[in-house]
Amino acid sequence: MKRLQAKNLFGLALAAGLFIAGPVFALGLDPAFPEPAFGPAKAKGVVVWSHGRSINAEDSQSPTPAYLSVLREDGWDVMRFDRLSKGDTLTDSTKRLIEYTGQLKRNGYKQVVLAGQSFGAFLSLMAADSSSEVDAVVATAPAAYGSFDDFYDSWRLNATKLYPLLEQVKRARIMMFYFHGDDFDPGGRGERSKAILASKGVGYSIVDQPAFLTGHWASSSGLFLRRYGNCIRDFANNAKLSSELPCAPRWGTMPSADLKLPPEMTDPQAMRTAAATPSAPNGSGVGGDTAKPTHSFRDTWYGFYPNGREILFGVESARGNDLNAVYAIGPSIDNKHPAAWTRRKGHIDDETFVFEEPGKSTIRLRPRQDGGLGVTWMAADGKTSMTAHLKPIDPHSLARRAAATSAPITAAATHGDGDQPED
């Protein structure tokens, strides 16, 4: 019943026979998000996402990847091509995907973009080979022939079967993502894919082994959305693209305007005052003694968690082994947890900065040889933890960021310590 209601909400005039065509185990098209569709007349186009295929699980139950929300917010309708694993073959599922593409075009959608993960990426590329009605493909971690560990004999086919697909694409723009540490990737696919698509004269974008994103499922993470969501949006919108579209994400290199900090930490005058305060000889900001916080950062580190939330850690003052610091975290990708910051009291224990207070999360930061910090966060109840790598940044850049963005400071950011930023 819920599935039927969702389809009614989507408001597509797909032929009834299209949903029941083929084997009885076929699920068909479903809306990817609960909001009503824009419809063919108002939408920029429609994106059809195809999930992967597992041996011992039903990927039709897997969540829609977060990056597709960027396209939804940009005016695209977004659908899922849901399939049960039984009978989900490259040939049969590609045929159905082509039929759906043609029907969506006949319904009036100006563009049809096929997006897919793993096995779904192969389906999307095969549909683009067979149908000139496919306008673009976004393929993440394409794989259809097993992993290195479990299917070594056929594992290399994830490369050798992929290249002919790219050579046969009719007219679609192609965007592809290959990730470091993907056990389904034989390696070398990025450069070969780029060479093939460049020779065809189609629009393309190849993101090969991007920093900070590892593993076969990297595109499902909040971090992938933060770093590449805008580039995917630009690629989908560029209907006239006929050459390479480079993707060079800026998110994560410096704190964004979404990261909230104490007002005095972004005040240029406070930064000038801090410049007159000598730092510790080792650059850690913990070697000297100060009686009270200067309300400006002596040393600052920045990074992000795998879920796509930014982190900033700034030492305000040190007295012996005791530390006063600000810990700030950016909003969650679904905006259910806003950006917030809190002042924390901690100490140095065997070269580790330790912040543990009753009722609060525990934060441990250990210096790295590159000048950064390895941070481990653990929830107050001890049930959840995350790790990240923070890099040192110039505290004065925070004042420059505030002057450039003039982002409003919320009441929570003004008062601090009132939220639970680690949620």
Side-chain angles (χ1 to χ4, degrees):
M1 178 61 69
K2 290 182 178 179
R3 188 176 298 278
L4 291 174
Q5 290 174 343
K7 283 173 179 168
N8 289 335
L9 277 176
F10 201 85
L12 286 176
L14 287 174
L18 192 58
F19 281 107
I20 61 175
V24 295
F25 48 76
L27 295 181
L29 295 184
D30 291 311
F33 298 102
E35 297 82 6
F38 298 105
K42 294 182 179 180
K44 290 184 175 181
V46 60
V47 180
V48 179
W49 180 72
S50 298
H51 55 74
R53 182 180 184 274
S54 301
I55 296 176
N56 52 8
E58 288 295 348
D59 279 21
S60 59
Q61 302 299 315
S62 62
T64 300
Y67 78 85
L68 290 174
S69 65
V70 175
L71 295 171
R72 164 69 194 179
E73 292 168 3
D74 193 51
W76 290 76
D77 282 338
V78 184
M79 303 185 70
R80 296 169 54 101
F81 178 27
D82 286 330
R83 316 165 315 275
L84 294 179
S85 59
K86 181 181 179 181
D88 184 15
T89 67
L90 288 175
T91 300
D92 292 342
S93 295
T94 296
K95 180 180 178 181
R96 292 171 56 211
L97 185 56
I98 292 170
E99 292 173 351
Y100 290 146
T101 298
Q103 187 63 58
L104 290 166
K105 276 294 182 70
R106 289 190 291 274
N107 286 346
Y109 278 105
K110 296 177 282 294
Q111 287 198 79
V112 175
V113 175
L114 303 182
Q117 158 69 19
S118 190
F119 190 87
F122 258 79
L123 295 181
S124 301
L125 290 168
M126 290 177 67
D129 277 359
S130 302
S131 173
S132 59
E133 294 183 297
V134 177
D135 295 288
V137 171
V138 178
T140 58
Y145 299 94
S147 65
F148 176 87
D149 289 335
D150 298 327
F151 297 94
Y152 180 78
D153 291 341
S154 59
W155 165 67
R156 290 186 178 84
L157 295 177
N158 288 321
T160 57
K161 292 289 188 179
L162 174 68
Y163 304 140
L165 295 183
L166 300 180
E167 292 168 349
Q168 296 164 18
V169 167
K170 290 188 177 300
R171 54 173 287 273
R173 311 186 301 281
I174 305 295
M175 179 178 235
M176 306 189 75
F177 290 87
Y178 301 112
F179 301 108
H180 181 71
D182 180 357
D183 198 36
F184 292 81
D185 192 339
R189 299 194 297 177
E191 289 300 319
R192 180 70 180 274
S193 299
K194 183 180 293 187
I196 292 172
L197 294 172
S199 68
K200 288 183 62 65
V202 299
Y204 69 95
S205 184
I206 304 297
V207 180
D208 188 23
Q209 313 277 317
F212 312 117
L213 290 159
T214 59
H216 189 61
W217 307 104
S219 65
S220 298
S221 67
L223 183 55
F224 181 80
L225 177 152
R226 296 289 199 202
R227 290 186 64 80
Y228 289 100
N230 288 344
C231 189
I232 294 173
R233 177 202 62 201
D234 294 343
F235 177 82
N237 287 334
N238 196 341
K240 296 183 179 180
L241 182 68
S242 59
S243 58
E244 182 179 16
L245 176 69
C247 278
R250 293 187 296 273
W251 190 94
T253 57
M254 287 294 292
S256 74
D258 291 332
L259 190 66
K260 305 303 181 186
L261 296 169
E264 63 270 22
M265 299 305 174
T266 58
D267 178 65
Q269 179 60 42
M271 293 293 103
R272 287 191 290 270
T273 301
T277 304
S279 294
N282 62 3
S284 68
V286 299
D289 289 344
T290 56
K292 60 182 180 179
T294 61
H295 293 301
S296 57
F297 292 146
R298 299 164 61 102
D299 288 281
T300 313
W301 292 265
Y302 168 76
F304 39 79
Y305 289 120
N307 62 6
R309 299 189 74 175
E310 294 177 277
I311 322 162
L312 186 138
F313 174 77
V315 174
E316 291 186 293
S317 67
R319 186 178 182 85
N321 285 334
D322 294 329
L323 300 174
N324 290 287
V326 166
Y327 173 74
I329 186 167
S332 60
I333 60 172
D334 58 8
N335 291 319
K336 291 182 179 179
H337 302 292
W341 60 270
T342 184
R343 282 194 163 91
R344 300 294 300 263
K345 294 182 181 296
H347 62 277
I348 303 173
D349 182 9
D350 190 23
E351 297 186 355
T352 300
F353 304 165
V354 181
F355 295 83
E356 48 185 353
E357 303 170 64
K360 291 187 177 182
S361 63
T362 297
I363 304 171
R364 295 178 178 271
L365 305 105
R366 189 171 183 86
R368 295 166 52 110
Q369 291 184 348
D370 60 3
L373 293 175
V375 57
T376 299
W377 170 91
M378 181 172 290
D381 60 9
K383 295 181 179 179
T384 309
S385 64
M386 292 187 293
T387 60
H389 175 202
L390 309 185
K391 296 182 178 181
I393 62 171
D394 179 5
H396 296 80
S397 65
L398 301 175
R400 292 194 292 269
R401 178 201 73 152
T405 62
S406 64
I409 298 176
T410 65
T414 301
H415 293 94
D417 295 330
D419 293 334
Q420 295 180 356
E422 302 92 342
D423 285 347

